[in-house]
Amino acid sequence: MVDQKVFMKKAVFTVIVDNYRPDICAQTIPTIKAYADKIGADHIIISERKFPEWPATYEKMQIFELGKDYDHCLLIDADMVVAENAPDFTHGILPGFVGVLEAFNADTLFEKDEYFVKDGRNIGLASNLVLTDKETHRLWEPLEMTWEEARKKTEREFIIDEYCLSRNLAKYGFKFTGLNYNDDVMKLFSHLGVTTT
């Protein structure tokens, strides 16, 4: 029997806009590109602003259009160093699941609306590493509101991307799983944690 996963089309996305920290990117991007090559994925750098009135982090929502023809879309932040022996998460996740390295209680940072209330799980997704497949691609769907409306929904405007992803998770009732399935995994993805405001 042929392993269908061999033929899956994958993309690793990284957002680098507004000349974001060239000193950091010089260290991180080669490791992200090497990881993409290792798992047989295209490495796509989002460098053009499509949502200029929004914080730069919201450019991650470009994956909704850019990734629509891929079987798996994986976002890795530009300030993340990926170890050579990092696993290919596309081979370890069940179809129809969103995968993340980190999550938190959504109500600590986000206004609870009808979707969060109806969903009831209170899940906030950290957007430093996020994996979707065809079934969960709408996680990347941009918000249907203006920036002036959206900025009131979160305690920190710069994490509007995390608000959008978390709200879509609740809105569509997507299943999700942590990708840090053992203590060693987190060591393979070093988030430099460059402070943003």
Side-chain angles (χ1 to χ4, degrees):
M1 185 172 178
V2 177
D3 183 358
Q4 292 299 313
K5 290 188 176 182
V6 172
F7 302 105
M8 286 191 173
K9 192 176 178 188
K10 310 171 191 178
V12 172
F13 292 90
T14 308
V15 175
I16 308 174
V17 295
D18 300 339
N19 197 35
Y20 173 76
R21 295 296 301 267
D23 55 326
I24 295 293
C25 290
Q27 300 173 55
T28 60
I29 298 307
T31 72
I32 298 171
K33 174 69 167 73
Y35 177 72
D37 291 345
K38 173 185 166 182
I39 69 170
D42 295 331
H43 184 218
I44 299 171
I45 294 177
I46 297 172
S47 58
E48 184 180 344
R49 295 293 303 261
K50 297 289 186 183
F51 306 100
E53 70 277 15
W54 296 67
T57 53
Y58 193 71
E59 299 300 339
K60 295 172 184 179
M61 300 314 116
Q62 289 190 46
I63 297 172
F64 185 62
E65 285 299 322
L66 296 175
K68 63 186 177 185
D69 295 325
Y70 287 92
D71 296 299
H72 283 103
C73 293
L74 178 63
L75 169 76
I76 301 178
D77 267 0
D79 59 351
M80 183 86 76
V81 175
V82 183
E84 289 181 7
N85 56 333
D88 180 356
F89 291 124
T90 67
H91 284 264
I93 191 169
L94 292 172
F97 274 78
V98 171
V100 294
L101 272 187
E102 301 175 88
F104 53 91
N105 291 330
D107 63 3
T108 61
L109 293 172
F110 307 142
E111 177 184 293
K112 288 179 78 171
D113 65 9
E114 60 184 306
Y115 298 121
F116 285 112
V117 171
K118 182 179 179 182
D119 182 66
R121 294 177 293 173
N122 196 30
I123 299 167
L125 302 179
S127 66
N128 52 15
L129 192 150
V130 181
L131 173 65
T132 59
D133 65 7
K134 285 281 192 187
E135 294 179 39
T136 59
H137 187 72
R138 291 184 81 177
L139 189 81
W140 307 105
E141 186 176 71
L143 294 165
E144 293 181 348
M145 60 183 80
T146 66
W147 168 233
E148 287 307 312
E149 294 169 323
R151 70 192 309 171
K152 300 170 186 173
K153 307 292 184 181
T154 175
E155 292 289 320
R156 295 177 59 221
E157 292 182 358
F158 206 81
I159 62 168
I160 193 63
D161 56 320
E162 295 183 346
Y163 170 74
C164 182
L165 297 178
S166 303
R167 186 173 186 264
N168 284 340
L169 185 84
K171 180 178 180 179
Y172 296 113
F174 293 141
K175 295 173 283 188
F176 98 110
T177 185
L179 297 173
N180 53 339
Y181 40 78
N182 66 51
D183 292 339
D184 293 330
V185 170
M186 289 298 284
K187 298 173 187 173
L188 301 176
F189 296 87
S190 302
H191 196 213
L192 299 184
V194 177
T195 303
T196 54
T197 56

